[in-house]
Amino acid sequence: MKIAFIGLGNMGLPMAKNLVKAGFSVAGFDLSGAALQALEAAGGKAADSAAEAARDAQVVVSMLPAAAHVKSLYLGGGQGAQSTQGLLAQMAPGALIIDSSTISASAAREVAEAARAKGIDMVDAPVSGGTAAADAGTLTFMVGGDGAQLERARAVLEKMGKNIFHAGDHGAGQTAKVCNNMLLGIIMSGTCEALQLGIANGLDPKILSEIIGKSSGASWVVNSYNPCPGTLENVPSSRAYSGGFATDLMLKDLGLAVEAATDIRASVPLGGLARNLFAMHSAAGNGKLDCGSIFNMFAVAKP
Ligand code: NAD
């Protein structure tokens, strides 16, 4: 089976590499030349454009930053001489699209509907687990689409992930993802506040993390993605907050959560607070750093 993989960033590259390892023929495209070289070094093929990568592919997987990138990839955009044709216009009927980017449920439904009109199946399949799980092929997939479409996607998804959930119809995977990431943003901020309080009161953050990790404040954040440098190896906080889940992507996801709440007149007071905290952190110049760098915002000034 030939797979096109569009978006070879922190998440997409290790996911594409796992597809190569599983024996699929993978053609990838990214705007970054370094990412393309890394895919070739792993045995994939670097394409000059998304359309070239998708030529003759039975499956297209995308892992792009936000809805604007996903819509422009599949639907095209722009006006007049600036207009570009989307992939849907160039793909053969019968192909399958797996979009693993985190975008709004409404954008996912819009692309799925346009794909359906061309005889192309699409599932939204956002992921959780971070770059470590992308590397290890142990991601959690939250899939939106019909059952038959999920079964078509399963052979590809199971080479990149360990848990595959059918959240519901188109867009439902994205709704589940946004709920999860709203909670992640809240837990990340709360964990930073608690760790900094302990540090300011003289505790060793490593010992405090071990205590919380075995107590009622335990979470994936404290145990597997600890934002305090020096507490865990091989996490973004141990490498100056590089190569993880960018603050700006967390901010985007918290914005999606607030938007989803606004659409139905629900209130998400903690999600809104977390969004504001990450917006302040981004505005202070930390947008490209891993979201755990918000740990620094909670540092307690010495009296
Ligand atoms: P990233 O910024 O590292 O990677 C995105 C890649 O897309 C970049 O390499 C960029 O060059 C490429 N790109 C942008 N526009 C493109 C285009 N038009 N054509 C081809 N390539 C293009 O982001 P990431 O951390 O890999 O995240 C990707 C998606 O996954 C986001 O929606 C994010 O919210 C979600 N996500 C990230 C994590 C994480 O831990 N990093 C975890 C779960 C979900």
Side-chain angles (χ1 to χ4, degrees):
M1 187 195 290
K2 182 183 168 192
I3 300 179
F5 206 113
I6 317 297
L8 302 163
N10 289 337
M11 294 294 287
L13 182 61
M15 291 166 73
K17 281 183 179 177
N18 281 329
L19 295 178
V20 173
K21 252 192 245 162
F24 292 117
S25 154
V26 179
F29 177 65
D30 194 288
L31 303 177
S32 147
L36 290 172
Q37 278 173 11
L39 179 68
E40 284 220 312
K45 185 179 174 310
D48 288 335
S49 65
E52 188 196 312
R55 195 164 299 133
D56 306 324
Q58 288 86 34
V59 177
V60 175
V61 184
S62 43
M63 194 51 167
L64 293 167
H69 307 84
V70 174
K71 288 208 303 192
S72 129
L73 172 68
Y74 291 112
L75 309 178
Q79 285 180 340
Q82 307 296 317
S83 70
T84 54
Q85 206 183 29
L87 269 193
L88 283 182
Q90 300 161 58
M91 288 169 64
L96 170 70
I97 292 171
I98 300 173
D99 179 44
S100 285
S101 327
T102 306
I103 63 174
S104 66
S106 58
R109 282 192 290 267
E110 185 183 336
V111 180
E113 182 52 34
R116 195 195 58 75
K118 298 263 175 197
I120 293 169
D121 278 336
M122 176 180 175
V123 291
D124 42 299
V127 302
S128 182
T131 49
D135 266 327
T138 57
L139 289 165
T140 294
F141 283 95
M142 314 167 198
V143 181
D146 70 36
Q149 291 171 332
L150 166 55
E151 289 319 311
R152 278 194 76 187
R154 192 178 289 279
V156 175
L157 297 179
E158 65 191 12
K159 297 294 185 274
M160 302 184 283
K162 191 169 69 171
N163 305 300
I164 300 168
F165 291 103
H166 190 191
D169 208 345
H170 297 285
Q174 296 294 354
T175 302
K177 171 66 183 168
V178 156
C179 294
N180 178 77
N181 273 28
M182 182 177 83
L183 187 56
L184 171 65
I186 294 165
I187 293 175
M188 175 63 82
S189 322
T191 303
C192 290
E193 186 170 295
L195 291 177
Q196 290 283 21
L197 178 66
I199 293 166
N201 278 287
L203 292 185
D204 176 335
K206 204 163 175 173
I207 295 173
L208 177 58
S209 296
E210 282 167 14
I211 293 170
I212 293 176
K214 295 277 182 233
S215 303
S216 44
S219 65
W220 176 84
V221 168
V222 80
N223 286 327
S224 303
Y225 208 83
N226 199 304
C228 176
T231 50
L232 291 179
E233 286 174 7
N234 298 324
V235 293
S237 62
S238 68
R239 42 175 197 259
Y241 299 108
S242 65
F245 179 42
T247 294
D248 279 346
L249 291 179
M250 170 66 94
L251 178 58
K252 170 203 59 159
D253 290 0
L254 290 164
L256 291 174
V258 170
E259 209 178 289
T262 308
D263 288 348
I264 55 161
R265 302 184 68 219
S267 56
V268 283
L270 296 180
L273 174 59
R275 199 207 77 85
N276 281 324
L277 291 171
F278 281 97
M280 284 160 64
H281 188 52
S282 173
N286 303 300
K288 302 268 179 291
L289 295 181
D290 177 72
C291 60
S293 60
I294 201 166
F295 178 72
N296 294 324
M297 185 195 268
F298 289 90
V300 179
K302 293 218 164 64

